[in-house]
Amino acid sequence: MVGDADGALPFPQDLRVSRLATDRKGTFTYTPRSTEHGVYIFVVEGNLTCGNAVLCRRDSLGVSGVKMVEFEAADTTAMSH
């Protein structure tokens, strides 16, 4: 959506905004650019589990110092990270 990826809205900062919208249960992963880049997860609708945290509608979670973030969508979920 925002950042330096093809088709993304350019933004003159070291920033990426991505979105996941799914209509199925499943496990998904997100890989930050580096372990120095934090990830902010915001659940718009639905439920997901990330590590030991269970996130519901309008919940958020900050993650840093990781190579990959894995989360499980419990149902139809829309989230940004």
Side-chain angles (χ1 to χ4, degrees), residues 1-37:
M1 291 177 51
V2 177
D4 60 1
D6 289 342
L9 178 67
F11 191 80
Q13 299 290 322
D14 192 4
L15 165 85
R16 285 187 191 170
V17 176
S18 302
R19 179 179 77 135
L20 168 70
T22 183
D23 61 356
R24 66 177 176 88
K25 296 179 182 183
T27 301
F28 301 89
T29 59
Y30 179 77
T31 305
R33 186 173 299 189
S34 75
T35 57
E36 295 175 359
H37 288 85

Side-chain angles (χ1 to χ4, degrees), residues 30-41 50-51 53 60-70 81:
Y30 179 77
T31 305
R33 186 173 299 189
S34 75
T35 57
E36 295 175 359
H37 288 85
V39 177
Y40 176 76
I41 299 168
C50 183
S60 62
L61 176 70
V63 180
S64 61
V66 298
K67 291 183 181 180
M68 176 183 67
V69 179
E70 185 174 278
H81 54 281

